[in-house]
Amino acid sequence: MPVITSPQEFNTDDLYVDLRPVLGTALHLKCEGFNFAGSVKLKAAAAMVAAAERSGVLRAGSVLVESSSGNLGVALAMIAADRGYRFLCVTDARCNVGTRRLMEAMGAEVHTVDRPDEQGGYLGARLRYVRERCASDARYVWLNQYTNPYNALAHQHTTAPAIARQFPDLDVLFVGAGTTGTLMGCARFFRQWTRPVTVVAVDAAGSVTFGGPPRTRMIPGLGAGVRPPQLDHSLVDDVVIVPEPETVRTCHQLAAAGFLFGGSTGTVVAGARRWLAAHRSGAPGTAVAISPDLGERYLDTIYQESWVRNVYGDAPYEEGTEGSDAPAEDGYGAPSQDAYGPADTCTLGAGSAAR
């Protein structure tokens, strides 16, 4: 039994669920939620913090600040508490109440942006607030998950090699697309691997990452209002877009079998099942999907019937019905392309990260 002194030292990286008995689909699910941060974002958070410390940007007295819809914020709150930093998470209304409380329990300050920017997007407003705080106080350090190369490198060095060791005959890998750090890290690893692997990105309907029109997305995690700066489309072999009602329906199906996963996981599994049915029904080969998170933080949303019906109507409860992806009003539109900040600001602190 391992003995640890820091919470980030514990992370189960070798747990897979065979989903064939649940879904009737030959698919293995790599579970990334079994750590004290509860999600795959622990890897990126730890890598970004370590890089900032090595460079001297992050030091005693620094205040971490980051824009996050939830999981990365929790991971940074945990690491900041362990390493003695203050942490400010800038989020919006999509962030689950339980997630905000979890960050606050670990000493983080959570600022919820309640008004969109001039383009109608909350992400742009979140990033503007981050820049303002950095400009106002030299102690603030913005790691900038959207452009930070260590976001992807963390998965190129850990997640993808772990999958390759467990499944040396891997044929297809399904990865959710948010900031695209996990997607790009895994895709780069398998592009150079000893055998060809089809890398399929799974995105949420309403995301513009792969060219779709922007629409409101109510489930945090996957999707983006503007093309993520880290995305290299040439490394992606195929893309599956999943409507949110289908995400909810898949989460409920997994929960009915005793597996309580989060919204991002429901999206990835739904996309994987759809792609495999269309492409590999005769010879499925070896397929793996990455599960970013667990489901406890979604008990008041996707696992709460009143919330689901208020947002999506009956669609998630009717098999084969897509329904509306989201409420009609788009509250999470696209910020301007430069809102994320240039890639070379990823570990700069204070005003330099904000300019």
Side-chain angles (χ1 to χ4, degrees):
M1 180 178 295
V3 177
I4 65 173
T5 57
S6 297
Q8 60 265 34
E9 293 175 14
F10 172 74
N11 186 38
T12 299
D13 202 36
D14 57 357
L15 178 63
Y16 298 81
V17 177
D18 182 353
L19 292 180
R20 189 193 296 266
V22 180
L23 303 179
T25 300
L27 178 66
H28 288 87
L29 189 63
K30 186 181 193 304
C31 300
E32 290 284 350
F34 290 97
N35 54 60
F36 284 104
S39 80
V40 70
K41 288 292 189 178
L42 174 60
K43 293 177 177 177
M48 291 189 296
V49 168
E53 289 177 332
R54 287 194 303 270
S55 69
V57 170
L58 187 59
R59 52 190 179 271
S62 294
V63 182
L64 282 168
V65 58
E66 188 57 72
S67 163
S68 171
S69 61
N71 284 337
L72 182 73
V74 172
L76 285 174
M78 185 191 78
I79 293 173
D82 174 64
R83 303 186 76 81
Y85 301 119
R86 286 177 52 202
F87 171 54
L88 168 63
C89 181
V90 181
T91 189
D92 59 56
R94 286 182 302 172
C95 182
N96 300 323
V97 173
T99 299
R100 293 198 294 269
R101 290 176 177 171
L102 184 56
M103 288 188 281
E104 291 169 343
M106 291 185 283
E109 176 187 354
V110 180
H111 176 80
T112 302
V113 172
D114 57 6
R115 293 183 181 179
D117 65 7
E118 52 274 8
Q119 280 78 41
Y122 280 90
L123 177 57
R126 278 163 40 184
L127 296 179
R128 180 171 59 191
Y129 186 84
V130 169
R131 293 170 183 271
E132 290 172 352
R133 293 301 291 264
C134 288
S136 69
D137 192 328
R139 296 173 300 167
Y140 281 89
V141 175
W142 179 25
L143 298 176
N144 197 348
Q145 64 164 324
Y146 308 102
T147 63
N148 194 315
Y150 288 94
N151 184 355
L153 284 170
H155 301 287
Q156 187 173 347
H157 294 159
T158 61
T159 309
I163 295 171
R165 287 192 299 271
Q166 184 70 29
F167 297 95
D169 58 345
L170 180 68
D171 293 305
V172 57
L173 177 67
F174 300 93
V175 190
T179 64
T180 69
T182 308
L183 175 63
M184 290 294 96
C186 291
R188 289 193 180 98
F189 176 89
F190 283 110
R191 183 56 61 95
Q192 300 172 2
W193 202 37
T194 56
R195 57 172 285 139
V197 173
T198 299
V199 176
V200 180
V202 182
D203 200 11
S207 168
V208 304
T209 298
F210 296 99
R215 294 184 62 180
T216 303
R217 291 167 287 109
M218 297 302 294
I219 300 174
L222 301 186
V226 70
R227 187 177 185 275
Q230 298 192 59
L231 175 64
D232 181 349
H233 205 301
S234 69
L235 297 175
V236 178
D237 297 300
D238 207 349
V239 179
V240 181
I241 306 298
V242 177
E244 287 192 338
E246 189 174 344
T247 291
V248 175
R249 187 161 55 244
T250 301
C251 285
H252 289 186
Q253 185 176 1
L254 293 169
F259 294 108
L260 193 71
F261 287 109
S264 296
T265 300
T267 302
V268 173
V269 171
R273 179 165 56 175
R274 183 189 294 186
W275 191 93
L276 289 169
H279 295 84
R280 299 291 178 89
S281 58
T286 300
V288 173
I290 296 177
S291 163
D293 56 0
L294 301 179
E296 289 89 345
R297 296 171 193 169
Y298 299 82
L299 293 177
D300 293 330
T301 54
I302 62 176
Y303 291 109
Q304 174 60 252
E305 183 176 353
S306 60
W307 184 90
V308 171
R309 291 192 182 277
N310 182 60
V311 174
Y312 308 110
D314 294 332
Y317 301 104
E318 299 174 353
E319 189 68 35
T321 302
E322 300 301 341
S324 173
D325 295 334
E329 182 179 358
D330 186 357
Y332 301 92
S336 59
Q337 180 62 49
D338 64 351
Y340 290 113
D344 62 355
T345 66
C346 58
T347 56
L348 296 180
S352 58
R355 297 190 184 102

